[in-house]
């Protein structure tokens, strides 16, 4: 009997994966639980619905989402082709009419003869040797998530995501901060930002007054399950941060030989020391507010944020432990993970993983040779991150230029670096497309 690909979840990753497999002549069963079973965020029964913003990011290839989209277009992205028809004016951002786009995506999927759309909730992992692509997204149905733990174990499936801001090292003014570990234990690994009482009070007031992201009803209890946002701690009392994540004990400032009133610590985030993470700074502050308030801190006046802090409901696996570079489950090779559940973050990143997983699953059915994506491409750098990051503190990621291998430029010209990385990525993607016969 001819083998097929089963795709569970017809969101952004699922429709892209289904199309890529079907386009290669493979039969596809595509399961979607809506409209019969709803999620907390989707509003319709349409496939590929954008749940919140209508923007798919920048159109510029010198911006991360622009480069990722460019590669997806080269790979014949189904979603982007249709989205193009529903673009709304939005400057250099690729924004669409969300509902009309999702409606057309649904119509087009329904027209594809070798895709069988089955609108029912999948509660367990199908017993089959056919490739199964799990693309159930951040709001995966509860029964399915529960049953997934037979593969991932409970400890490697997460239901909530809290990340702290990450800052480029070359944007930190190191003259105003100092390296030290608490009580000088181990190496002086942390960057410490000392605050006097006045600076601390101003910072606390800024956090409390800042604009926050709206909390969705279904997210209201997450603060109790996980760590508190920094602004929430600030609200609990003037001293709560100084006794909590900003406690200065054991962090003597070598310039004054005294313990500051409060200390903000930054921890090295990558082996090359290109990035530092603000410790304990999970937050729901709007991104513009994070930039405004954190740039008032000594040494961070010119901080470039590689990633902002965030907190939201999110179902995802511990990618580095569970999947390989083909988005394939290490333990059960017919299973693939794509979309937000595999540890990527964002619309375009979800499309990227769905598209690539769809190609790999189809190639498996067709017994075709498979080739890793080069790490120098945006799609390859994403896979590289979610399969090779440190599993102990794995957090979902968007694609950023920081995930691509370093290129050297005179005087570290950042704009030029991005342009060079983009050029290499597009060139390498073209070569991969040819080699893999895409
Ligand atoms: C509230 C919210 C807002 C977000 N806003 C943005 C944003 O503005 N910009 C951005 O870039 N990213 C945003 N994201 C993150 C992410 O990019 C999107 O969630 C994106 O849709 C993820 O794509 P996906 O294909 O992984 O999941 P989805 O698009 O959610 O698709 C998963 C599909 O699987 C279905 N499904 C789930 N369980 C089952 C089951 N058991 N059986 C059958 N079907 C099932 C769901 O109904 C859904 O249709 C947001 C996430 C959330 C939760």
């Amino acid at each position: 009997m001819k083998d097929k690909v089963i795709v569970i979840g017809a969101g952004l990753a699922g429709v892209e994966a289904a199309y890529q497999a079907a386009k290669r002549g493979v039969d596809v069963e595509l399961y979607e639980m809506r409209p019969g079973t709803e999620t907390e965020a989707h509003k319709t029964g349409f496939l590929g619905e954008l749940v919140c913003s209508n923007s798919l990011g920048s159109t510029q290839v010198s911006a991360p989402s622009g480069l990722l989209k460019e590669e997806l277009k080269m790979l014949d992205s189904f979603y982007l082709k249709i989205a193009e028809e529903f673009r709304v004016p939005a400057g250099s951002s690729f924004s669409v009419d969300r509902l009309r786009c999702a409606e057309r995506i649904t119509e087009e999927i329904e027209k594809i003869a070798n895709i069988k759309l089955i609108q029912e909730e999948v509660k367990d992992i199908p017993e089959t040797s056919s490739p199964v692509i799990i693309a159930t997204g951040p709001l995966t149905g509860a029964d399915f998530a529960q049953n997934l733990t037979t593969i991932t174990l409970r400890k490697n499936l997460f239901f909530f995501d809290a990340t702290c801001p990450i800052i480029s090292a070359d944007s930190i003014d190191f003259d105003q901060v100092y390296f030290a570990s608490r009580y000088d234990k181990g190496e002086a690994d942390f960057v410490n930002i000392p605050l006097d009482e006045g600076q601390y009070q101003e910072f606390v007031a800024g956090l409390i007054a800042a604009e926050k992201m709206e909390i969705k009803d279904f997210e209201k209890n997450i603060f109790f399950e996980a760590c508190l946002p920094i602004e929430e701690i600030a609200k609990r009392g003037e001293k709560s941060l100084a006794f909590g994540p900003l406690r200065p004990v054991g962090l003597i400032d070598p310039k004054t030989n005294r313990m500051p009133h409060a200390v903000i610590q930054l921890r090295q985030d990558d082996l090359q020391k290109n990035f530092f993470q603000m410790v304990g700074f999970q937050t729901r502050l709007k991104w513009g507010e994070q930039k405004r308030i954190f740039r008032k801190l000594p040494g961070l006046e010119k901080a470039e944020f590689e990633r902002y802090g965030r907190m939201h409901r999110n179902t995802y696996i511990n990618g580095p432990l569970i999947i390989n570079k083909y988005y394939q489950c290490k333990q059960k090779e017919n299973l693939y993970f794509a979309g937000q559940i595999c540890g990527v973050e964002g619309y375009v990143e979800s499309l990227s993983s769905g598209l690539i997983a769809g190609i790999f699953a189809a190639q498996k059915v067709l017994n075709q040779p498979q080739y890793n994506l080069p790490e120098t491409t945006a799609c390859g750098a994403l896979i590289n991150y979610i399969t090779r990051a440190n599993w102990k503190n794995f957090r979902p990621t968007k694609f950023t230029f920081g995930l691509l291998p370093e290129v050297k430029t005179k005087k570290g010209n950042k704009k030029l670096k991005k342009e060079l990385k983009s050029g290499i990525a597009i060139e390498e993607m073209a070569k991969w497309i040819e080699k893999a016969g895409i």
Side-chain angles (χ1 to χ4, degrees):
M1 207 175 72
K2 216 172 123 197
D3 207 356
K4 61 185 173 196
V5 168
I6 297 171
V7 181
I8 309 177
L12 300 188
V15 292
E16 193 65 60
Y19 171 83
Q20 294 298 333
K23 171 186 155 174
R24 289 169 169 78
V26 175
D27 287 340
V28 176
E29 281 179 8
L30 174 60
Y31 286 86
E32 171 51 54
M33 69 179 186
R34 293 176 293 116
T37 307
E38 294 182 342
T39 77
E40 306 94 318
H42 292 85
K43 297 277 183 285
T44 72
F46 296 140
L47 314 183
E49 179 186 331
L50 300 178
V51 282
C52 185
S53 152
N54 67 336
S55 170
L56 293 157
S58 172
T59 51
Q60 314 289 308
V61 289
S62 54
S65 70
L67 173 60
L68 194 53
K69 282 196 292 294
E70 187 61 28
E71 289 187 7
L72 296 184
K73 284 183 197 159
M74 293 168 76
L75 290 161
D76 183 33
S77 162
F78 165 73
Y79 196 97
L80 290 182
K81 236 176 347 197
I82 292 181
E84 191 71 53
E85 290 175 43
F86 295 97
R87 276 184 72 172
V88 295
S92 64
S93 125
F94 188 121
S95 299
V96 299
D97 179 321
R98 290 188 316 126
L99 294 188
R100 288 188 59 212
C101 181
E103 186 179 27
R104 177 65 66 78
I105 294 278
T106 311
E107 287 165 4
E108 292 299 320
I109 287 285
E110 282 170 346
K111 278 189 214 160
I112 300 175
N114 55 337
I115 297 184
K116 185 174 170 197
L117 176 63
I118 303 160
Q119 284 189 281
E120 62 186 53
E121 182 176 359
V122 177
K123 303 221 169 181
D124 208 345
I125 302 167
E127 284 292 335
T128 174
S129 57
S130 298
V132 176
I133 301 177
I134 297 170
T136 45
L139 308 173
T140 293
D143 289 339
F144 188 71
Q146 180 57 39
N147 286 318
L148 255 190
T149 58
T150 56
I151 301 286
T152 61
L153 304 183
R154 175 64 192 83
K155 62 180 184 199
N156 292 319
L157 183 69
F158 307 103
F159 297 93
F160 175 74
D161 175 17
T163 55
C164 303
I166 292 181
I167 297 170
S168 297
D170 57 7
S171 67
I172 298 171
D173 178 358
F174 284 98
D175 289 341
Q176 297 191 61
V177 298
Y178 60 100
F179 277 93
S181 283
R182 210 174 287 280
Y183 299 116
D184 291 329
K185 279 189 190 153
E187 299 289 308
D189 286 333
F190 289 83
V191 171
N192 297 281
I193 302 176
L195 300 182
D196 64 27
E197 197 172 349
Q199 288 168 318
Y200 172 78
Q201 282 167 352
E202 193 188 328
F203 180 63
V204 169
L207 284 178
I208 294 172
E211 270 192 83
K212 329 266 177 326
M213 306 254 195
E214 179 202 345
I215 303 176
K216 308 260 182 334
D217 275 348
F218 64 90
E219 291 179 317
K220 282 196 172 138
N221 62 352
I222 60 182
F223 296 160
F224 302 103
E225 287 171 22
C227 33
L228 282 172
I230 189 100
E231 62 277 9
E232 198 64 29
I233 305 177
K235 240 169 63 186
R236 295 191 166 185
E238 198 197 298
K239 293 188 178 150
S240 52
L241 280 177
F243 282 98
L246 272 62
R247 70 187 183 288
V249 288
L251 291 169
I252 302 295
D253 183 347
K255 273 195 194 139
T256 59
N257 242 343
R258 291 177 52 198
M259 188 173 81
H261 184 76
V263 172
I264 292 167
Q265 290 203 296
L266 309 183
R267 186 196 299 122
Q268 187 179 328
D269 194 62
D270 63 329
L271 282 173
Q272 294 92 19
K273 279 198 180 176
N274 285 334
F275 302 105
F276 283 86
Q277 182 170 149
M278 300 178 81
V279 180
F281 268 60
Q282 57 277 356
T283 174
R284 295 197 64 110
L285 256 51
K286 288 192 170 169
W287 290 3
E289 290 289 76
Q290 292 186 37
K291 188 171 175 179
R292 182 178 68 79
I293 290 171
F294 300 154
R295 275 191 170 184
K296 286 187 186 165
L297 294 168
L300 299 191
E301 292 85 352
K302 295 189 175 151
E304 293 288 341
F305 291 86
E306 180 70 6
R307 180 184 81 191
Y308 288 100
R310 57 168 193 255
M311 302 182 76
H312 60 102
R313 163 118 143 73
N314 194 7
T315 316
Y316 67 98
I317 56 170
N318 196 333
L321 288 183
I322 307 289
I323 52 175
N324 64 21
K325 286 194 168 187
Y326 299 98
Y327 286 112
Q328 198 175 18
C329 180
K330 292 180 192 172
Q331 194 192 332
K332 210 163 184 291
E333 284 199 347
N334 73 316
L335 294 187
Y336 293 74
F337 286 87
Q340 196 103 349
I341 198 164
C342 76
V344 297
E345 166 78 30
Y347 294 154
V348 186
E349 287 79 357
S350 295
L351 287 176
S352 158
S353 61
L355 189 152
I356 304 291
I359 293 178
F360 284 143
Q363 287 178 333
K364 197 85 187 156
V365 169
L366 300 168
N367 272 321
Q368 291 175 344
Q370 302 198 303
Y371 301 95
N372 280 338
L373 269 155
E375 292 167 17
T376 41
T377 61
C379 293
L382 251 188
I383 301 186
N384 194 37
Y385 174 84
I386 60 169
T387 54
R388 293 195 39 205
N390 184 350
W391 62 270
K392 287 186 185 152
N393 52 14
F394 178 69
R395 289 281 189 281
T397 192
K398 290 185 91 60
F399 168 68
T400 65
F401 281 105
L403 299 184
L404 290 169
E406 260 323 292
V407 292
K408 288 214 161 47
T409 53
K410 272 190 190 158
K411 294 184 189 160
N413 183 327
K414 283 188 202 160
K415 189 164 168 272
L416 184 60
K417 254 188 196 184
K418 287 181 184 169
E419 285 167 4
L420 285 175
K421 285 184 177 187
S422 278
I424 295 170
I426 290 169
E427 219 172 89
E428 290 294 315
M429 179 53 88
K431 284 189 203 157
W432 183 79
I433 288 174
E434 202 178 329
K435 178 170 150 191
I438 302 299

